[in-house]
Amino acid sequence: MGKSLLSVRNLKMYFFTRKGAVKAVDSINLEVGDGEMIGLVGESGCGKTMTAFSILRLVPNPGKIINGEIIFEGKNLLDLTKKRMRSIRGKKISMIFQDPLTYLNPVLKVGDQIKENILLHTCVNKSEAKKRVIEILKKVGLPSPAKLSQYYPHQLSGGMRQRVVIAMAIACNPSLLIADEPTTFLDVTIQAQILKLIRKLVKTLGVSLLMITHDLGVVAEVCDRVYVMYSGKIVESATVFSIYKNCKHPYTIGLLNSVLSINKYKKTLEAIEGSVPSLINPPSGCRFHPRCKRKMAICSEKEPTFIEIEPGHIVSCWLYT
């Protein structure tokens, strides 16, 4: 990893409900270096998206960040005023959301929506901003960008809408791009095009990427390093090569065994037994132990610490302690 751009330290984000505190993000640590492409992978509901919202300080009610630090470019984002944080969102840190229709305004032309972001964060006039919109739409591979900028979101296909969202995200040349399941609502061929576009933009623009996904194929295609998340906690972290060749945590092994491979014939897929535990009353000790085939007595009694298996490869599991 190069120079650190983003450092999340001991972050806790809970939702306070009538039934109790939902420990959505519970004491996680992660690093994103300059120009790095990082993957955050895990099952639905494990806290991946809430980690991204915490970084942007967009945690929905009744959620609250109760502990930790989010160091971005040397500053703790949790110490900044709301006004200062608004100046960072969209300019320094941008997000690509998974459902474009949810985050695009249906009554505004897509060009105007991109232009609004440019005018908000840069010192350009409307004429220059309009030219910039056309340049960005062309950069993300949209045909006839001047004409397309006058369309409304419902007039575009799903792939085109996602490219517009990407254009909005890169409009102000951010330092960090967060992509939250950016291909979930697209068909397979369009997914490949969007992933190729994101990888190309990250390299040409020199930005860092935090890719949030449940798809291990996306991680292999795009990322340099990966963090595996389970039930609000990071359980393993390594380079993508190490994760695929030498993964250690039983949960990571289960994830890899549950996907098809072109190199190995599988008559049936191996599912991870059980279900994701409640985040209000998570299991004691290691949160994965109720579903783990290799659990020991200590797994239910005490939470494991992180062990470095090899340089840059850490795992939280009693099997290696």
Side-chain angles (χ1 to χ4, degrees), residues 97-166:
F97 297 96
Q98 57 180 292
D99 183 8
L101 273 181
T102 301
Y103 293 96
L104 288 174
N105 191 324
V107 298
L108 288 181
K109 297 174 183 178
V110 295
D112 290 338
Q113 296 186 54
I114 300 172
K115 184 172 69 175
E116 182 181 19
N117 192 38
I118 295 172
L119 291 172
L120 179 64
H121 292 295
T122 60
C123 298
V124 297
N125 58 39
K126 291 184 178 180
S127 177
E128 291 172 335
K130 186 175 180 180
K131 292 179 182 178
R132 174 72 175 152
V133 168
I134 295 172
E135 291 173 3
I136 295 169
L137 289 175
K138 186 177 181 180
K139 189 176 290 186
V140 297
L142 286 168
S144 306
K147 182 180 179 181
L148 190 140
S149 68
Q150 299 302 306
Y151 286 5
Y152 292 91
H154 73 273
Q155 295 177 288
L156 304 176
S157 67
M160 284 182 168
R161 285 194 291 265
Q162 192 60 285
R163 288 175 187 267
V164 169
V165 171
I166 294 172

Side-chain angles (χ1 to χ4, degrees), residues 88-100:
I88 290 176
R89 289 190 214 106
K91 182 178 181 181
K92 291 286 188 177
I93 305 175
S94 290
M95 190 163 180
I96 302 171
F97 297 96
Q98 57 180 292
D99 183 8

Side-chain angles (χ1 to χ4, degrees), residues 29-86:
N29 295 276
L30 64 84
E31 299 276 342
V32 181
D34 278 336
E36 263 200 318
M37 292 179 279
I38 301 299
L40 183 59
V41 64
E43 293 172 284
S44 296
C46 72
K48 306 184 302 295
T49 297
M50 288 303 108
T51 299
F53 284 164
S54 297
I55 293 170
L56 290 165
R57 282 180 54 185
L58 290 175
V59 176
N61 286 326
K64 186 178 180 181
I65 297 172
I66 63 171
N67 189 53
E69 294 180 318
I70 303 172
I71 308 299
F72 176 73
E73 294 185 339
K75 297 178 181 179
N76 186 0
L77 299 183
L78 300 182
D79 291 337
L80 301 183
T81 63
K82 291 182 179 180
K83 182 179 180 180
R84 180 74 180 109
M85 195 63 212
R86 283 195 297 268

Side-chain angles (χ1 to χ4, degrees), residues 251-300:
Y251 176 63
T252 311
I253 294 170
L255 285 178
L256 289 171
N257 287 339
S258 65
V259 297
L260 290 170
S261 171
I262 61 173
N263 298 317
K264 183 179 179 181
Y265 172 75
K266 290 183 179 181
K267 189 174 182 180
T268 58
L269 291 177
E270 299 178 32
I272 301 175
E273 295 180 358
S275 57
V276 178
S278 167
L279 293 177
I280 297 178
N281 295 301
S284 58
C286 173
R287 292 187 179 180
F288 186 64
H289 85 263
R291 307 174 68 186
C292 184
K293 296 179 180 179
R294 302 176 67 186
K295 63 185 176 185
M296 303 177 289
I298 194 174
C299 297
S300 61

Side-chain angles (χ1 to χ4, degrees), residues 213-233:
T213 182
H214 64 274
D215 191 335
L216 290 165
V218 170
V219 171
E221 182 74 17
V222 175
C223 301
D224 302 316
R225 289 191 300 117
V226 59
Y227 289 87
V228 181
M229 195 169 186
Y230 179 77
S231 191
K233 289 184 174 291

